[in-house]
Structures are given as C-alpha cells and as structure tokens.
Amino acid sequence: MNSSIPSAIRGAALTFTGDPFTAPSKSVMHYERDAILVIEGGLITACGNAATIKPTLPDDIEITTYPDSLILPGFIDCHVHYPQTQIIGAGGEALIDWLEKYTFVAEQEFSDREHASESAEIFCDELIRNGTTTASVFCTVHEHSADAMFESAQSRHMRIIAGKVLMDRNAPDALQDTAQSSYDASKRLIEKWHNNDRLLYAITPRFAASSTPEQLELAGALWNENKGTYVQSHISETQQEIDWVQELYPDRNGYLDVYDHFGLTGPRSIYGHGIHLTHDEWHQFHETGTAIAHCPTSNQFLGSGLFDIGKARRPNRPVSVGLATDLGAGTSFSMLQTMGTGYQVARLAGADLTATQALYLATAGAAKALYLDDKIGTLEPGTEADLAIIDLKSTPVIDYRMQSAKTIEEQLFVLMTMGDDRAIQATYIAGGLAYQRD
Ligand code: GUN
Ligand code: ZN
C-alpha cells in the first residue's frame, strides 16, 4: 500500500479523456486492448500500450496480469447513506412514509457508537467488493456516526466524502440536533477529518424539510468559512416533498431557491435526485456549478419518478451529474447494476443513455461532479491508483454473450445490463490490492 516500489498491472484498459455527452464516445474514450498501468506511491505513473510501456520498466518489476478483464478507474458513488445498509429492501412506501417507517427507526440505533462502527465496516467492505473506491456518504445526526465512517474509510486508505446529517425539525426527537449544535459538531468534524489523508468533509443538511431556516443559515455560514469542504443534500425527489418544502419556506421561489438563499449552491455542492426540477432550476444548477447525484435504483424502488438524463446533460446548459446508489432506498451497492437501471430509466423517460455514457457517470463524470477529476475517475498518470478490475466472463451467460460482442461499446452494454458484484475481479485502492475475488 502506497509503496514507493513501482508495480504494474496488465490487461485491457479503458478511461475517459472527455465527456461522451458532448462529443462522440470514440473521441473521448481511450481503450487499450493490451495496456500496462504502472503504480508508484499510490499514484498511476504511466498507462498505455503494453508494447510501449514494457521496455521502459525495470526488469524486476512485479506485473500482475488480468486476462479476459477490463481495467477501469474505481467506481464513484455520488450519494449513499451508510446507516441504511440494514434497511435495503424495506418496501411498500413512498419517500416520506418510507423515511418515517423505516429510515428514522434504523438511524436511531446509531446512538450506539459500536453499532455505527460495525455498520461502517460492513459498508466499506461492501463498497470495495463492488469496485467502488469513492463515495459521498450520509451518516446520521450523531457526531460519532461520522467518526465511525471516517475511521473505517481511513483504515482502508479510501477517498471518502462524508458528513454528519443536520436535522432540527420534522424528525423524531432522538434524531434532532439544533442549529447551533449542528454547526458546532460539523465544525469539530471538519477540523478532525477534512483533508485528513484522503478524507473530505460534506456539510449535510438532510433536506430542506428537516431543517429550520436557522439551521440552513448556519450550514451556509460554515461552508463559507471552510473552503474546499462539500455540501450534500436532497432535492425534488417527489412532488409531495416539493409541496411540503414550499409550505415550510413560503418566501422562497421554489426548492432550489431555498438552498441558494442560504448559500448552499455552487462548486462542491451535490444534491440527490432532482427528478422534478423546473426549467429555471435546471439553468440555475448549470450556472452555479451545482451537481446532481442521479439515483436510479432508489427512484424505481420508492416510485419517485423518472430522471431525464437528456434534459440534465442538454449541451447548451449541461448540468454536472454523477451516478449514485442512494442505499438503502437504492437496492444495490453495484454501480454496474446502477448503470443498468439508469439505462432503463432513461428509456422510460424518453432519453438516450449509452453504456459509455453510463460508465462515464460512474467514473470520470462523477469525479467531475465532485470537483475531484484531478485526483480520481480516470487512469490518467498523476492521479490516484483506485481501480476496478472487471471480469468479462463473470457468469456462464455473460461469457456466452460476450463471445458475440464485437466492440468495446457492445461489451460495455453487456456489462451494464448483466453485470453485478460477481464481475468485480479485484479492487485497488491507492495502488494497493484491497479486494480479490476468490
Ligand atoms: N430525502 C431525505 N432523506 C432521504 C433519505 O434518507 N433517502 C432518500 N432517498 N431521500 C431522502
Ligand atoms: Zn439519499
């Protein structure tokens, strides 16, 4: 791990050099059928055609070869709730009832620090088993729930964004903080964890309906006082929620205006869902550089609606979008499955989404949405060596289907449609092997 002795891996490799929503995929995707990727000190130091790279390497360098595989940048999950791991598949309700019936019950258990630590451990292991190397994580209202998350991520050398949830109304008493206590606790956590190794802090008001104006005001002030930190929250997931927020904030001109008013939009702010945004809100997302985390399995599970990726990425005002699981409303840790559901949602919404574009949303596009594209999301030399090694023959039927896939684009489509955790052959974090399938 983080060794200064160079090592290398060899196999087919794919990375993005640009945005497949604004240019033909061939011009922004670099696919190398036989690549060598060199790792040193936790970073990628070279990546390219094996015949070109091999002669430049020391004779004694260790090269791990992955035949029938595809080397990808590690997946990035832009919005996920680790305390909800234990309620995945708790169903039958729409958002607000689901929160009350299952989520707020499960999150109260996090008053127990040991329970938080155990959940964080299971959660991080499961991310890695699915080839996910970075996530933007919601904790609970309890300050120690964020400590638990950061400790688990740090022990695995992961680049994780996380934050304690802020909630001072419309939640059970046991899950409420106050405007001042949420400011104070978040400040302590920023001082302790932000930029500590690879960890980053996100100020995390759950959503406008569970914060008073005073709490959002202090959240905006805290963000302004701590440059480089993040803001994460939810927006426009269901119409019922939108109507409720309008009632709670009658002076504001819509849902996004609430966050904007309190200084919670701009680079390094990312909002889950954004299914039911208005014309003006789409423009405002674009103009402010605010990002959306698209959570297709969650939206299907709760019946929240169909996110229109075509509208989001409209070339005249593209909004930054990253893909996300949103567990436990989301149903899978697998970003391959999330891409597959994203494709199906796009079909139902009347939009197009190629497998190449879906992969971009789970790697380089997600890194861009999080303003981390100089560090993660590609195989570019100088970036951090977080990798997912994908087995192209992970099940008998995928093996059979792949035999008639003629292009890398077609292979990606098969992976997106049929792939899951079984397709993750290995995961590297900061250059170290973090997971190897049996
Ligand atoms: N809106 C506010 N909180 C939540 C949550 O935990 N999950 C989802 N899907 N939406 C939310
Ligand atoms: Zn969420």
Side-chain angles (χ1 to χ4, degrees):
M1 187 68 58
N2 272 343
S3 164
S4 54
I5 302 167
S7 63
I9 61 175
R10 181 169 183 169
L14 188 153
T15 187
F16 290 97
T17 55
D19 181 349
F21 287 91
T22 55
S25 70
K26 281 266 182 277
S27 67
V28 294
M29 185 172 82
H30 187 179
Y31 173 62
E32 199 67 66
R33 203 177 291 271
D34 182 16
I36 288 183
L37 185 140
V38 187
I39 298 166
E40 195 173 345
L43 302 179
I44 298 168
T45 53
C47 180
N49 181 274
T52 313
I53 302 270
K54 187 117 197 299
T56 69
L57 299 177
D59 290 341
D60 60 349
I61 191 169
E62 188 190 331
I63 303 180
T64 308
T65 301
Y66 290 102
D68 299 322
S69 297
L70 183 62
I71 302 166
L72 292 177
F75 294 120
I76 299 168
D77 182 344
C78 285
H79 176 120
V80 58
H81 302 252
Y82 95 83
Q84 296 174 17
T85 307
Q86 61 181 350
I87 55 154
I88 298 168
E93 317 287 339
L95 172 65
I96 304 299
D97 291 336
W98 176 84
L99 283 174
E100 284 173 6
K101 192 165 166 186
Y102 305 115
T103 315
F104 291 159
V105 176
E107 293 192 8
Q108 287 182 57
E109 288 185 41
F110 283 69
S111 61
D112 176 359
R113 172 65 152 94
E114 262 182 45
H115 178 71
S117 296
E118 184 187 293
S119 299
E121 289 285 296
I122 291 170
F123 175 84
C124 287
D125 283 345
E126 200 58 18
L127 287 182
I128 294 170
R129 216 177 58 75
N130 280 275
T132 300
T133 49
T134 286
S136 193
V137 185
F138 285 62
C139 304
T140 65
V141 74
H142 313 96
E143 184 173 350
H144 63 225
S145 73
D147 286 320
M149 183 69 239
F150 284 123
E151 283 170 14
S152 293
Q154 188 170 45
S155 70
R156 291 163 178 79
H157 307 281
M158 298 176 84
R159 185 166 280 292
I160 288 283
I161 303 171
K164 168 205 133 53
V165 159
L166 318 183
M167 256 198 303
D168 67 345
R169 64 170 157 174
N170 294 320
D173 288 348
L175 285 184
Q176 287 193 38
D177 50 17
T178 67
Q180 191 59 47
S181 74
S182 68
Y183 174 93
D184 294 341
S186 303
K187 188 169 188 292
R188 281 192 295 273
L189 288 165
I190 289 170
E191 282 160 9
K192 192 164 171 188
W193 295 110
H194 184 64
N195 281 329
N196 180 342
D197 290 341
R198 303 181 73 201
L199 307 171
L200 297 162
Y201 197 80
I203 297 159
T204 308
R206 177 171 220 118
F207 65 153
S210 59
S211 286
T212 60
E214 293 72 32
Q215 184 166 59
L216 293 187
E217 173 123 37
L218 282 186
L222 185 63
W223 194 34
N224 189 40
E225 288 155 15
N226 290 277
K227 303 293 178 210
T229 58
Y230 287 77
V231 164
Q232 60 180 352
S233 190
H234 296 85
I235 193 165
S236 300
E237 185 174 358
T238 71
Q239 194 56 50
Q240 186 192 9
E241 169 209 12
I242 295 168
D243 295 344
W244 191 24
V245 168
Q246 192 62 65
E247 272 170 40
L248 293 169
Y249 291 90
D251 298 339
R252 301 272 60 88
N253 184 25
Y255 202 157
L256 183 58
D257 188 46
V258 175
Y259 295 128
D260 194 56
H261 176 77
F262 293 107
L264 294 167
T265 57
R268 294 189 187 75
S269 64
I270 182 157
Y271 287 86
H273 308 293
I275 302 171
H276 309 283
L277 297 176
T278 64
H279 176 268
D280 288 351
E281 286 175 328
W282 282 115
H283 277 272
Q284 210 174 344
F285 263 94
H286 167 72
E287 276 154 22
T288 56
T290 307
I292 289 181
H294 171 31
C295 314
T297 71
S298 163
N299 300 158
Q300 295 288 71
F301 184 74
L302 294 178
S304 306
L306 300 171
F307 181 78
D308 187 337
I309 187 68
K311 215 183 228 180
R313 300 292 292 141
R314 196 164 279 172
N316 65 333
R317 52 125 193 81
V319 171
S320 270
V321 177
L323 205 56
T325 62
D326 192 32
L327 290 169
T331 50
S332 171
F333 274 86
S334 167
M335 292 304 288
L336 292 173
Q337 287 189 305
T338 306
M339 287 161 55
T341 306
Y343 172 77
Q344 293 172 8
V345 165
R347 296 304 309 151
L348 288 169
D352 289 322
L353 183 70
T354 65
T356 312
Q357 290 168 333
L359 180 63
Y360 175 79
L361 295 179
T363 56
K368 224 173 166 47
L370 295 172
Y371 291 80
L372 287 173
D373 46 316
D374 59 333
K375 295 188 173 61
I376 56 170
T378 66
L379 304 180
E380 194 67 33
T383 64
E384 297 166 355
D386 290 346
L387 309 169
I389 315 296
I390 311 295
D391 178 358
L392 297 174
K393 300 181 169 183
S394 62
T395 70
V397 71
I398 291 177
D399 182 6
Y400 180 66
R401 173 65 182 87
M402 281 293 184
Q403 289 167 29
S404 53
K406 294 184 182 59
T407 61
I408 178 63
E409 286 85 355
E410 213 183 325
Q411 286 184 353
L412 290 179
F413 240 114
V414 174
L415 266 182
M416 167 172 92
T417 307
M418 303 171 79
D420 54 27
D421 55 340
R422 292 168 294 180
I424 308 304
Q425 185 158 336
T427 305
Y428 286 77
I429 295 184
L433 182 64
Y435 167 71
Q436 173 87 59
R437 206 189 53 197
D438 292 345

